[in-house]
Amino acid sequence: MSYPYELDDEMLWDAGFQSGRLYFSLAQGAAEIIQRPTGLTHNDRLGGCDIELPTFRVFVEGLYDSYSRTNSAVLQGLWRGLLVTSLVLLDMAGSPITLSAEHEEALRSDMASFGRSMGAPNWRRYSSSVPQPQ
């Protein structure tokens, strides 16, 4: 059973049921903290989520801002999994955000791992440590 995430009737991420539901729940909780809507809407027909891209992009920018501003290792760790998943999903939607040099290498490395697992067709380009196809 899956929990697909769609943008304009195109499936971006065919998440496993538990992964997809957990991501949706974590995003909803984070939206309360950063006071921005997620742009994710539960789709009963699909059994997953629809993505409203402009709103989702603003949400991910808010996650990244919160991640970047904290000095707490605990908060950074809590934000990181949600942020990386969101960055990959946003990139799969064709609307990546710019990462600061301070965070880019570490986040892109995680994005490569997450992207591969999420079925991102271009996951290799997220990290220079992953061999690029010739």
Side-chain angles (χ1 to χ4, degrees), residues 12 88 91-92 114-124 126:
L12 295 182
V88 171
D91 187 64
M92 290 167 71
F114 279 47
R116 182 177 185 185
S117 180
M118 292 170 69
N122 55 359
W123 64 269
R124 284 183 175 87
Y126 298 138

Side-chain angles (χ1 to χ4, degrees), residues 9-48:
D9 295 322
E10 175 190 349
M11 187 175 353
L12 295 182
W13 179 29
D14 190 17
F17 186 70
Q18 289 184 350
S19 297
R21 285 186 53 218
L22 180 58
Y23 174 75
F24 182 80
S25 295
L26 291 171
Q28 296 301 315
E32 290 180 31
I33 302 296
I34 65 173
Q35 299 179 337
R36 295 184 186 191
T38 64
L40 303 174
T41 306
H42 182 72
N43 181 324
D44 289 326
R45 172 190 59 79
L46 195 62

